[in-house]
Amino acid sequence: MNPTIPRPAHRPHVKAAATDPFDRGVARGEQLRDGIPAASEVYDRLFALGGITPAQVSEDAERALDTIGRFRPAARAEISGIAHGAGVDEWRVAALNARTEILARGSAVPPGECTTIVRRIDGDDGSPRTLGVQTWDWHVELGAMWHTLESRGGRHDFVGLTENGILGKMGVNSAGLALHFNILGHVRDGIGGIPMHVLAAIVLEEAGSVAEAVEIVRGSPLASSGSFALFDETDAVLLDLSPVGVFEVPPTQGTLVRTNHFLTPVPAAGEKTWLYQPDSGERRDFVRARLAHRQPTTVDDLAGLLVTGEGEPPVTCLPDPDKPLGQRWASLATLTLEPATRTARILDGTPADIGSRDWRVLTAG
């Protein structure tokens, strides 16, 4: 364990079970009455660092709420419930959910660096299984501001991890639909569409298959960028999401590898390359080279591919204490998803901590 990455002695696990989305939000907010203000304080510092004024943050949050309400009133209701349960203003929770889009206003706070692999593996009985693994790399100052999540009562139950106050991030649902999430950056990114984190939660709650998930994504108003790796027991797809459209990335020998740059030409033409490269390309090339020489047969083997050390691209990401606020990246969590068993395993640690720290195992259904 790296002592420079703050990790609470007991990582919160938030359970919310209600058919009414507002009530589900209230349950989440009540369990995060301290955690949501703490996360807002860190994001306020990051917004200010990017030259984004409190008035702009509030205005952007209200715009995001309006868009969410038009597209999915239930998601808006759940955000309202979180605010009510936590005893904070609604726009505060909206700003957390739209933090990626708000941060896109400035260039002083570059995006994080996550690495994802989705791979078809032959199971013990010879039948293929689709497995996924990912690091979630973000500002070390937010190392204590995330939790595991169990959301029940919507069309599909889902489990995974997310940040305090944010509807969703990565996870798997009771229908066996799994979602890994990486941030991308386009010059047209901004407020005006569905925030990426809200869209991830909508997909996990509503989609019963990869095909349904892709339909939801393609029908969404997008004004920002990200990548969803979507997979179920029989299908997998990697998407470039951007203000200029949604594009599918062709798989390579049954494997999808994602870091933080566009992999299709149309959005790549407008990419904020200066924020991501050469790091993102180096990490993806490194993982692909490992896959060419190793044949993982279990989800643990797959996760082991993300362990890196000194002199290698930082797939395992450790913070540099000499860097200023906004540039201290850390692998805050490592996550594996298995659609066949509806299981998410979350490690409160970097890939290098595998074996020395326990996985939290959650099952959606």
Side-chain angles (χ1 to χ4, degrees):
M1 174 178 167
N2 187 330
T4 64
I5 300 179
R7 303 194 187 278
H10 301 286
R11 176 68 61 183
H13 177 61
V14 172
K15 295 182 179 181
T19 55
D20 182 88
F22 180 83
D23 292 342
R24 209 158 52 239
V26 170
R28 289 175 67 163
E30 288 177 343
Q31 295 170 72
L32 295 166
R33 289 188 69 89
D34 295 328
I36 287 175
S40 292
E41 189 276 331
V42 177
Y43 275 112
D44 283 348
R45 292 162 58 201
L46 292 172
F47 294 148
L49 185 65
I52 306 163
T53 68
Q56 288 173 321
V57 172
S58 176
E59 180 182 347
D60 285 351
E62 293 290 355
R63 285 186 63 197
L65 273 175
D66 288 344
T67 303
I68 295 165
R70 288 193 299 270
F71 181 64
R72 285 296 192 276
R76 165 85 188 248
E78 188 162 0
I79 289 172
S80 299
I82 291 172
H84 182 83
V88 300
D89 291 336
E90 186 182 45
W91 74 266
R92 277 292 190 180
V93 179
L96 292 173
N97 280 272
R99 54 87 158 161
T100 300
E101 290 72 19
I102 296 171
L103 285 170
R105 274 184 174 272
S107 59
V109 183
E113 43 184 40
C114 305
T115 305
T116 297
I117 308 171
V118 175
R119 187 172 175 88
R120 299 282 281 175
I121 293 174
D122 289 334
D124 294 336
D125 60 357
S127 61
R129 299 171 63 200
T130 307
L131 308 173
V133 63
Q134 153 167 30
T135 59
W136 174 45
D137 304 339
W138 196 226
H139 302 283
V140 71
E141 291 83 3
L142 288 154
M145 311 299 175
W146 64 272
H147 59 273
T148 55
L149 173 66
E150 186 176 332
S151 177
R152 303 189 184 277
R155 181 185 178 197
H156 301 295
D157 300 338
F158 67 92
V159 296
L161 72 82
T162 190
E163 296 175 67
N164 294 350
I166 295 181
L167 289 188
K169 194 182 289 285
M170 294 84 79
V172 63
N173 72 17
S174 53
L177 185 279
L179 184 153
H180 284 297
F181 175 22
N182 294 53
I183 288 296
L184 308 176
H186 193 277
V187 293
R188 289 176 54 180
D189 285 344
I191 292 291
I194 290 294
M196 284 290 136
H197 285 84
V198 176
L199 182 57
I202 290 169
V203 167
L204 284 170
E205 184 173 325
E206 296 184 8
S209 65
V210 167
E212 288 184 10
V214 171
E215 183 178 5
I216 291 169
V217 171
R218 291 195 181 278
S220 303
L222 299 180
S224 57
S225 301
S227 167
F228 289 174
L230 301 162
F231 54 109
D232 54 32
E233 293 184 58
T234 60
D235 196 10
V237 65
L238 183 63
L239 299 178
D240 279 349
L241 284 66
S242 76
V244 296
V246 176
F247 304 88
E248 183 175 337
V249 179
T252 302
Q253 297 180 334
T255 301
L256 305 171
V257 179
R258 166 68 76 184
T259 49
N260 298 99
H261 60 282
F262 289 108
L263 298 174
T264 56
V266 174
E271 183 171 66
K272 294 180 177 179
T273 306
W274 61 92
L275 292 180
Y276 298 89
Q277 300 291 15
D279 172 83
S280 182
E282 290 172 349
R283 282 184 289 119
R284 185 168 187 269
D285 289 346
F286 180 84
V287 171
R288 293 181 70 194
R290 273 193 169 174
L291 283 164
H293 293 93
R294 301 186 195 178
Q295 297 299 317
T297 59
T298 67
V299 70
D300 290 314
D301 292 341
L302 201 63
L305 295 174
L306 302 182
V307 179
T308 56
E310 188 174 350
E312 295 176 324
V315 177
T316 295
C317 185
L318 299 176
D320 184 343
D322 295 328
K323 294 281 189 179
L325 172 71
Q327 297 182 34
R328 292 189 286 260
W329 307 115
S331 292
L332 299 184
T334 307
L335 175 84
T336 71
L337 301 175
E338 297 190 56
T341 59
R342 279 65 169 160
T343 299
R345 298 191 312 160
I346 297 100
L347 185 74
D348 191 351
T350 75
D353 293 320
I354 294 172
S356 64
R357 299 178 66 86
D358 293 332
W359 295 91
R360 178 171 288 175
V361 182
L362 306 174
T363 303

